[in-house]
């Protein structure tokens, strides 16, 4: 049986599609067999609402005249620190995991974030664990965040 030009084109197209399928097959199998659920990262603070002030246990950042300033000396620029906090994301922690972690939690810290046109601040509860930070975001959801302490609280000694 002799193939025409159209027949060879169809054979070539089908062969390429089969080849792509064979190349993608291991990844598809791995995704279906993976026991880890895919979690979307959540923000600690809302992205769209502008901040006026953020109060920590040891220092505060305040927006005066459009410039962020700190009431304590920092080894990083106040704008950089604010960007770190507003872009901070973490993995959601479910209530069952929180119940398991509760007995080993240290004393909490609280951070208050004051937003434009909002009377009450968002109070963020923060636990510093040895491997990660456990933080309750502005919506009341618990997040696991892995960052160095100096990244979030950079005070000069």
């Amino acid at each position: 049986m002799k193939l025409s030009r159209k027949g060879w084109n169809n054979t070539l197209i089908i062969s390429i599609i089969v080849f792509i399928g064979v190349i993608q097959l291991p990844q598809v199998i791995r995704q279906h067999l993976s026991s880890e659920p895919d979690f979307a990262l959540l923000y600690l603070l809302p992205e769209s609402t502008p901040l006026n002030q953020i109060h920590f246990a040891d220092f505060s950042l305040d927006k005066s005249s459009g410039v962020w300033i700190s009431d304590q000396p920092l080894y990083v620029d106040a704008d950089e620190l604010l960007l770190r906090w507003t872009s901070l994301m973490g993995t959601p922690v479910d209530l069952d995991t929180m119940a398991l972690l509760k007995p080993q939690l240290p004393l909490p810290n609280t951070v208050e974030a004051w937003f434009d046109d909002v009377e009450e601040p968002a109070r963020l509860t923060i636990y510093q664990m040895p491997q990660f930070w456990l933080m309750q975001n502005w919506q009341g959801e618990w997040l696991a965040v892995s960052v160095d302490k100096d990244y979030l609280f950079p005070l000069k000694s």
Side-chain angles (χ1 to χ4, degrees), residues 42-51 54 82-83 85-89 113-116 118 120-124 136-141 143:
L42 299 176
Y43 280 98
L44 184 65
L45 293 170
E47 296 176 89
S48 59
T49 309
L51 272 170
I54 188 163
L82 180 71
L83 181 64
W85 276 89
T86 55
S87 62
L88 194 61
M89 298 175 77
W114 292 82
F115 300 99
D116 287 345
V118 179
E120 286 293 315
R123 289 179 178 83
L124 312 172
Q136 190 174 29
N137 72 359
W138 60 283
Q139 293 176 312
E141 299 165 315
L143 309 176

Side-chain angles (χ1 to χ4, degrees), residues 67-125:
V67 178
W68 283 94
I69 57 171
S70 173
D71 63 355
Q72 297 289 322
L74 303 173
Y75 72 80
V76 67
D77 185 50
D79 287 325
E80 171 65 24
L81 181 59
L82 180 71
L83 181 64
R84 291 177 183 181
W85 276 89
T86 55
S87 62
L88 194 61
M89 298 175 77
T91 305
V93 177
D94 62 13
L95 295 176
D96 294 335
T97 306
M98 276 302 296
L100 290 173
L101 290 172
K102 203 160 204 129
Q104 53 187 319
L105 292 177
L107 291 175
N109 289 319
T110 302
V111 173
E112 289 184 349
W114 292 82
F115 300 99
D116 287 345
D117 302 326
V118 179
E119 279 187 37
E120 286 293 315
R123 289 179 178 83
L124 312 172
T125 304

